[in-house]
Amino acid sequence: MALLMDRRYNPFRDFEDINRAFFGDNSLAEFKTDIRDTGDGFLLEADLPGFKKEDIKLSLNGETLTIKATRHSDFENQEKKASYLRCERSYGTYSRSFDVTGVDVSKISASYNDGVLAVRLPKQGPKEPENHTITIE
């Protein structure tokens, strides 16, 4: 019975399609993250359900870590779009950036399991004071 209800005329369907095309679907625009202090570092966990591992990219630009994830859908294909009765799952490209000041960027590691991206961010060790002699000219 629920399937029949979805097939009824919906006067707002075209408006929803226009709204999605113009503004995009931002239900995952800011995917949810938790960041914990683990003592010797930080653990960032990002919920990215339904993404393929190869569609998730991490990049580092200076002291900014960016997580970018892309999900595709048959709904994007105009020929296949007509066969949909309803399309509520989100698709597109989503990204978030994080300040990683104080993190040893050379030791950042990541894993992806059961829809959760885990990024381990080790803290920088204490900096050794630089001792040097200055020559007087």
Side-chain angles (χ1 to χ4, degrees):
M1 183 70 175
L3 181 59
L4 293 176
M5 291 176 66
D6 285 343
R7 290 184 147 185
R8 290 188 296 171
Y9 175 70
N10 179 353
F12 299 104
R13 181 173 294 148
D14 291 336
F15 179 72
E16 290 169 358
D17 289 344
I18 291 169
N19 188 47
R20 180 184 287 234
F22 186 75
F23 294 108
D25 179 13
N26 64 357
S27 61
L28 269 178
E30 289 194 3
F31 46 84
K32 305 301 181 195
T33 61
D34 293 337
I35 302 174
R36 292 186 287 148
D37 188 332
T38 60
D40 60 346
F42 303 98
L43 177 63
L44 182 150
E45 293 176 307
D47 283 346
L48 294 168
F51 286 88
K52 295 178 183 175
K53 184 172 133 179
E54 57 271 13
D55 291 334
I56 302 171
K57 306 290 182 223
L58 282 83
S59 62
L60 194 59
N61 185 6
E63 293 183 334
T64 302
L65 172 71
T66 300
I67 300 170
K68 185 176 181 180
T70 303
R71 180 184 301 146
H72 298 284
S73 168
D74 284 344
F75 193 75
E76 296 170 294
N77 182 326
Q78 291 299 320
E79 293 168 3
K80 294 181 180 180
K81 184 176 183 175
S83 67
Y84 278 80
L85 301 176
R86 178 178 301 263
C87 182
E88 294 180 344
R89 296 186 304 158
S90 58
Y91 60 90
T93 300
Y94 312 94
S95 69
R96 291 208 46 200
S97 295
F98 302 90
D99 182 0
V100 291
T101 302
V103 170
D104 186 347
V105 295
S106 67
K107 295 182 181 174
I108 294 175
S109 62
S111 60
Y112 182 67
N113 190 25
D114 295 333
V116 178
L117 175 69
V119 182
R120 285 162 295 289
L121 305 156
K123 292 179 182 175
Q124 286 179 340
K127 291 190 177 185
E128 297 289 325
E130 293 184 25
N131 294 328
H132 57 277
T133 306
I134 299 172
T135 306
I136 302 172
E137 294 181 23

